[in-house]
Structure formats: C-alpha cells, structure tokens
Amino acid sequence: MLLKSIILEIYNHQKQSVVPKKGMIEREILHKIKLNTDLVIIISGIRRCGKSILLQQIIADKLPDSSYYNFEDHKNINFETEDFSKLKSIFQENSVNNNFIFDEIQNVKGWENFIRTEQDLGNKIIITGSNASLLSKELGTKLTGRHISYELFPFSYSEFLNFKSLQAYKISFTEYLEKGGMPIYLQNENEEVLQQMFSDIVIRDIVVRYGLRNSKIIKELGLYLISNTGKQMSYSNLRRTFNIGSTNSVVQYISFFEDSYLLFTISKFSYSLKKQSVNPKKIYSVDTGLSSGNSLSFSKDKGRMLENAVFLSLRRKYKNIYYFQEKRECDFIVKHKNSIIKAIQVCYELNDDNFERETKGLLEALHFFNLEKGFIITLNQKDEISSENKKIELIPAWEWCCYNHEE
C-alpha cells in the first residue's frame, strides 16, 4: 500500500516525462491507433522500443491534458489494488478530462478489475505493457471484447531513415541491418546499451517475473536463439544442448522470450495444426541491432541479418507467417484472412551458385499454394523472372522494407 501523498509525488514527477520533446520521430503506428472508441486501447512491445514516446505523441496530438501514470517506476513497488482509488482521485484533482493512460499496468495484481470499472464509467483508457502474456491473460478474463490491441516494434527502416536523416538505398539499409531500430541505442550507439537491455529483459521480464532459478541457462539460451535467427530449431535438441530437464521446460522458456517480445517463432506450414506444433520452428529476433550487439556470430552473417529484417517488416503487418518446406524450402509464407497471399524468399545476393536453390524453393511454394507471383528479396537486385508459368520479382530489400507497410 502507498500513501496518497507518495502517489501524488510520483504522479507529479512523471508528468514531465510525457511532455513532448523537440526532434521526436513520429511513429508510423500513431495514425493507425483508433482513439475514437469506447474500447480499452492496449499498446504492447519490447522494453525500450519507444512506447513512452508514442504516448507523448498521442497526448500531444490527440489527447491533451490526459492523466498519465507509469507503474514501472521503482517507487511503485508497494502499489496495491486498493491504491487505484487514490490514484483516480489524484487524476480528477489534476485534470479536466477522464482520459487515463497507464504504463506497465500489468505490474499491479488485479489491475483489470479497476480498468473494467473505469471503462464502465465511460472513461477513455490506454494501457501499455512489455509482456504480451500477462496482458492477454487478464484481458481475456475481465475485458473480453472490450479492448483493441496494437503492437509497437523498434524503428522500421522508414523510421530509421527519418531518425538518421538518410535516403533509402543499399548503404543506409546496410547500416540499418547492423544497427537495428532500438531508439535508445541509436541516440548514442553505445553497444553496452544493447547488452544491458538484453540482460534487463532476461532478468526482470523473465527470471524474476516467473520465479526461475537457473538464470545462467536462461540467459545462455536467449543469446543462442537471437544469434541463430532463421535457423530451424528443435525443442528436443535445445534441451540436450543446454542440459535442460525436459522439453516442456524448453517450450516454456521460449514462450517467456516471446511474451517479452525478445524473439518470435514461426512454424513450418501445414494444414494440420498438430504437425505445425511438432515440426521444428524458426526463430527471429525483435531487432537485428540487439542481436548484433550481443552476438559476434550474428553480426558476421549478412544473409541471416537480411532475412531477420524482412521477417520484421512482414511481422509489423501480418501475424500469421510460416516457412514452407517440402522438397525444398521457401523462407516466408504469409496467411491473411484464411488465405495464403504471399510467398517470399530472402537471399543476400542471387547468383549462379544459389540461383536454382532459391528459385526452385519459391516455385515449389507458388505451385503448392496456386499463387501466380512470388518475391525474392535481395540486398540490391531488381529484376523479373518467368519460370514454370510463374512470375518471380526480385526486389531490393531497401525498397521493399521501405514501402511494404504501404501496400
């Protein structure tokens, strides 16, 4: 429990953090968030990806004089459910409207009951959080059908260009691959920031939050996964590699990484959900810069960096992404509204040595899904190929990632 005077002190201190600062890069998601709704708005994403800056932009642009409170502040460690009434009283005493914005509210047990009550009273509510599972669990019980969710990622390539005042081309895209899009890192490009960020996510968002004891193994597993993006992973092989007690434990640990937005898994496409669940997964990092800053091996593999960047560009727009593998492999299959709409191969440079492998894998997927056209994303090649009555378009990654969100 906290005294009202302490909560007021925290509230007044935090007011300064939502004052818009000069030179902020407007996030692409800003104008996609539908504020004209009675639903609770949820914005989730990895720690330090810019959620607080996005809130500043929302408040400045569309919801001036909103009441804001961040539960990540260490002074809130003893904040309990009963304290919400004191916080609401402070809001009402210091604001002219009933727009309530909460950062990391999932840190307070029972928060969903308070939010449900305030929504019933007609108050506009925005919540941000860095743990998808904790948010969705409570939302599913108390706020089913009462919320709309958005995901915030590190800077896209377009946002990176705006931040760096650069033009879209292979040179700037290569820089984006190496540095990634974490705003806090791009401010000074100190790799220790990325290393500390990874450590904070593992310790605070996973080990402490879930009461795990083997923090060393969890950290080693996380480093291994974000260093080997794009490779197929077997849970049983990971169990043996890290000497983890059971395959179920490996599955659980990886789900914790996913919930914290550190990484994503995609399944091999199959019309059988059972086969999807048992086939090897492919894993992708939330940010190529975060992976490079914590792994020397990843930073040297330009092909996998490119594949990871293409995945992230897709993931910003679509949630149902798979890889395809029958006789050959195709990197990405995109499902949207119950239909397969895209087949994409990623290759740093298409040449005589890999031409057959890359095109045949894509063509097999095009025939399997009865698609007329597929794409090969390379660093800087632009061309069109006709083969087996199918069209293949080669697109430079810098061009495709810059305009993919506009399709």
Side-chain angles (χ1 to χ4, degrees), residues 203-395:
I203 300 303
R204 296 172 64 182
D205 294 343
I206 298 174
V207 174
V208 173
R209 179 161 279 163
Y210 297 104
L212 305 179
R213 296 180 181 178
N214 48 350
S215 59
K216 185 173 183 292
I217 290 178
I218 300 298
K219 189 170 184 178
E220 289 175 352
L221 176 61
L223 281 172
Y224 179 84
L225 293 172
I226 66 170
S227 302
N228 288 275
T229 65
K231 295 183 179 179
Q232 293 186 22
M233 299 285 179
S234 160
Y235 292 134
S236 57
N237 287 341
L238 290 171
R239 178 186 64 80
R240 288 190 291 269
T241 299
F242 291 93
N243 195 26
I244 296 172
S246 70
T247 302
N248 285 338
S249 293
V250 176
V251 173
Q252 188 178 54
Y253 295 158
I254 292 179
S255 74
F256 293 160
F257 288 126
E258 287 193 90
D259 288 340
S260 67
Y261 287 97
L262 182 65
L263 54 80
F264 303 90
T265 64
I266 67 172
S267 301
K268 175 183 174 182
F269 181 86
S270 174
Y271 288 110
S272 165
L273 293 179
K274 183 177 180 180
K275 287 183 179 179
Q276 279 188 23
S277 66
V278 299
N279 284 326
K281 309 290 184 186
K282 290 177 74 173
I283 291 177
Y284 294 95
S285 168
V286 72
D287 184 70
T288 54
L290 183 62
S291 291
S292 296
N294 286 278
S295 168
L296 198 59
S297 62
F298 179 80
S299 63
K300 293 179 179 178
D301 195 328
K302 305 302 182 184
R304 286 195 294 114
M305 291 174 73
L306 178 62
E307 185 177 332
N308 204 127
V310 171
F311 167 78
L312 290 173
S313 185
L314 284 171
R315 183 59 180 76
R316 285 181 176 90
K317 189 172 182 180
Y318 305 104
K319 287 197 173 182
N320 296 316
I321 305 170
Y322 308 87
Y323 72 93
F324 175 83
Q325 188 175 41
E326 293 294 325
K327 293 180 180 179
R328 298 175 185 266
E329 183 176 331
C330 179
D331 292 322
F332 299 120
I333 300 298
V334 178
K335 183 180 179 182
H336 184 59
K337 295 181 179 179
N338 297 318
S339 298
I340 301 299
I341 61 169
K342 291 181 188 289
I344 298 170
Q345 196 77 293
V346 182
C347 174
Y348 196 79
E349 181 184 22
L350 192 65
N351 52 46
D352 290 342
D353 293 334
N354 59 25
F355 183 87
E356 182 176 355
R357 181 181 72 245
E358 302 294 350
T359 56
K360 292 298 184 183
L362 178 58
L363 286 167
E364 186 176 357
L366 294 178
H367 286 294
F368 187 89
F369 295 109
N370 196 29
L371 297 172
E372 296 300 316
K373 181 179 180 180
F375 303 89
I376 298 181
I377 311 298
T378 69
L379 179 66
N380 196 42
Q381 291 168 283
K382 193 175 183 71
D383 206 342
E384 285 193 4
I385 300 169
S386 294
S387 181
E388 300 178 12
N389 295 319
K390 303 292 183 182
K391 292 182 180 179
I392 298 176
E393 184 175 355
L394 272 68
I395 307 177

Side-chain angles (χ1 to χ4, degrees), residues 78-136:
N78 293 318
F79 194 104
E80 297 178 356
T81 310
E82 294 75 15
D83 295 325
F84 276 117
S85 60
K86 303 172 190 175
L87 179 58
K88 181 181 178 182
S89 176
I90 291 170
F91 282 177
Q92 293 174 327
E93 292 164 6
N94 289 272
S95 181
V96 296
N97 59 44
N98 290 322
N99 299 331
F100 299 162
I101 300 177
F102 302 104
D103 242 341
E104 303 292 348
I105 197 173
Q106 80 273 352
N107 290 339
V108 183
K109 186 176 181 181
W111 65 269
E112 67 279 6
N113 296 309
F114 169 73
I115 295 300
R116 170 72 181 262
T117 300
E118 294 309 309
Q119 185 191 33
D120 287 342
L121 292 173
N123 298 324
K124 181 173 290 296
I125 300 168
I126 300 177
I127 296 170
T128 75
S130 56
N131 187 290
S133 179
L134 288 181
L135 283 173
S136 62

